Amino acid sequence: MGELAKTYNPAEHEAKLYAWWEAQGYFKPETLVAKGLVAEGAASFCVTMPPPNVTGILHLGHAIAATLEDLATRYHRMRGYDTLFLPGSDHAGIATQNVVERELAKEGLERHGLGREKFIERVWEWKAQTHARITDQHRRLGISCDWERERFTLDEGLSHAVRVAFHTLYERELIYRGPYMVNWCPRCESAISDLEVISQEQDSHLWYIRYPLANADWGVPQQEWGSGRWAEGATEFIEMATTRPETIVGDTGVAVNPEDERWGQLIGRQAVLPVSGRAIPIVGDEAVEIEFGTGAVKVTPAHDPTDYEIGARHGLDALNVLTETARMNAEAGPYAGLGRNECRRAIVADFEREGLLVKVEEHHHAVGHCERCDTVIEPRISTQWFVRTKPLAEKALDAVRSGEMRIIPARFEKIFFHWMENIRDWCISRQLWWGHRIPVWYCEECGQEWSAVEAPTTCPQCGSARIKQDSDVLDTWFSSGLWPFSTLGWPDLKSPDLQRFFPTNLRETGYDILFFWVAREAMLSLELMGRAPFSTVYLHGLIRDEHGKKISKSMPDAWKYDPLYIIEEYGTDALRYTLATSSSPGNDMSLDLRRIAGARNFANKLWQATRFILLNLAEGERVTPLAELAAEQLLLEDRWILSRLYQLTESVTQLMAAYQYGEAGRQIREFIWDEFCDWYLEAAKVRFYAIDEVAKVAPKTVLLTVLEQSLRLLHPFMPYVTEVIWQALPAEIKEGEALMIAAWPQPDAAWLDVVAEEQLALLMELVRGIRNVRAEYHVPPGKRIAALLAAGALQPLFAARRELLSSLARLDAAQLEIVAVAEPPAQAAPVVAGELVIYLPLAGMVDIAAECRRLRKSLRALEGRITGSQRKLAGPFAERAPAHIVARERALLAELQGEAAQTREQLARWE
RNA sequence: GGGCGGUUAGCUCAGUUGGCUAGAGCGCUGCGUUGACAUCGCAGAGGUCACAGGUUCAAGUCCUGUAUCGCCCACCA
């Protein structure tokens, strides 16, 4: 005790402390129960960590999530909830596979060359490395999660949960398989969901082309395509615009709007498709916009979602002309084997040669790209697995509407509704290797298809052993969608953790994955568990650099925003405090390193205050607990700070319960720094440095009591420094073995003392006024000056605390006169605070003209406000506004008038 | 094409049922090494709360519109 270093050095304590907490079992709910810190039948509080992808290292987005989750966890643990923060990580199918593929590419390897099994081995190796790094980073953040309950989406239990979930949905016909148009990434060679397609605006072209029409004069091209005479003899044409000329070879129709006067009469006729010379019908379809392009559109049902629908309506064939890697297939005739872009150039050139290219316009439009590898997506018809989302979405909508699940900030509920109401079926199969194999088998004998939780050996239909499992894997979000219950032991409904902690309480994540993840968690949980997975969704914003730019690895100063760098430079507490208090939910945050430095300074400030207090304790001195103090031992400043602490605790507790962490954190800081350190601690020095030993008892008690309770309030924000300090405090003023398992402060209503607060506020105003005058007159800071205080009815109070006033304002105690009514000295600067006036006889220094100017200025301001207040009270305000608001206004007016009267009196002496 | 958010001090941001003189950190100015702290203290300067209307006794806060920046969603080829 009392051995605190000169400054707080986070690195010296953090790792040690974390290891100790963990070794003590404080992160485990069982420990708290065993210690009797969780009351019988206490409510549970559970948050499952959004499992980071095992793709790389953590960034500030993870840091803010972990911080807020741990903040909530520590707060609830202190409140006596049966608390669990469950950690884990996500195999992140497509993302991780891509990362490992890039790693392999560095060695000149490619996954197909390696083979599925070997490749998966490599991914597991990668997983082991990144997982270790991620875990280490999370520990550095000080999060109090139960590592023994850590889960991984591909581990045994969760894989089983995935199979059960799939099987259940399959049996309920909420999962189906079929050939539909999906988003296909030709680089990943896999289908991806709508959400994984990122549309990017691009500059491109709109090619106006024309197809000849078959008529009595011409119907079959006589010359070779590319000869320049392919359309020779054609007499009628239909002109259309396209952004994708390479798909022309896959056209099986031309569509026009039936209302279109230009083209309407062509419906039913045949066009002759360039290149192949195939006759294709012209159909009428409402989907065609008359205004766009020429009003006619080529229809390629196999390669465009709209065309797919038009084709379906008119019985047009879907002719696939692309391979899985987006090269032209045999159907492309002369273009077979070309890449889609090469083909585009070639076919445009050929159209020009054949006189079928009318014009080319600049065109700006959105093109879909793969979220993971940025490759241009190809819409493609392929057989995939889907989740029928409509019925699931209904339940999710109800859960939010009914309030079973609440989203913070509330505006995201509308966004959630909109998405859920317009949801489309979710493509869950991926042609990847890294992930959960789809638990469906096919019989090669009888063609039976069935789903099973455990791998079968024979066909249930015909008994054949010639069965094969589906080779696809599931979308990674399918397994993470089960996270809130799969991690707690589902599908075992008797799992103690599931019964104890489900439904969970909080899902904290960035708003960018509301649809990807939170929405899926809600749908799957409501379907499989019959309940929403959590009661509150708290969405944080994106973290950007100090100029509001998105932080990316390619930025030259990206290293500055690495959580580990920040932790090493400023300490974990500084990072956590800053992340928790610098923004509000759902709003992006520009992380300013200066703020982090400020938070580090705050930790040090707290440290210094503690040092001061402990330095004033003798070795082994017993501190008197607050309860043992007699009422009269508590002086004005003691009653004031205790009252302030009471109010702070009330306010912070309310804010924490309402998930207003930012405001809570700011209030705690303001209290500790501005009230406790700057005023109370300075006030306490008066008694510390006095001769009277008895007088020193109360301030020690109050200092330690307030400090100890402040530490408890601050602990969820700055767990390390608060715990280190707490451990150094004398045993008499604390309970238990660690701050992190201490009880959240229960404010003692007896501390509330509004009179003390008002009186000290007056004293502070007086002191500030004196300091102000001293600064203006350049009175040397150390110089003690005489003063005459006219305190009116408060004379006894100020007389009793004369040392306090003289100490804080650097007055000469021997020449401080405190009276009820004073005859103003001739050569003195008056300081007015409410109805109090203190005269500072600055012998020979007082510039009367300057004083008059100062007083007049102050009087003008006062009079302005008085007039405003009077006008307000004379108007409809007095009767329309609530009584307490009016009363407050009246009180204010009286105060202003009192101060103005005093000021006028002072002026009158000189004028 | 829809929808959402931001616009508050030089910079980065708070300001949740509308209610005292709109706040903080950093920066800036002046003073200061008083026996916790220069990662500090004291005093101070600095804002027509983007703009225009409206509702109200009262608007940074609610409504309408405008500007501007950003984000999300969307099958105009």
Side-chain angles (χ1 to χ4, degrees), chain A residues 61-71 85 138 141 143 508 576:
Chain A
H62 297 104
I64 190 173
T67 294
L68 293 168
E69 287 147 20
D70 192 51
L71 187 48
F85 181 8
H138 263 144
L141 285 163
I143 59 177
E508 202 295 328
R576 287 178 54 128

Side-chain angles (χ1 to χ4, degrees), chain A residues 387-400:
Chain A
V387 170
R388 209 180 296 283
T389 45
K390 285 268 178 337
L392 304 189
E394 276 309 316
K395 295 182 185 180
L397 283 165
D398 286 344
V400 175

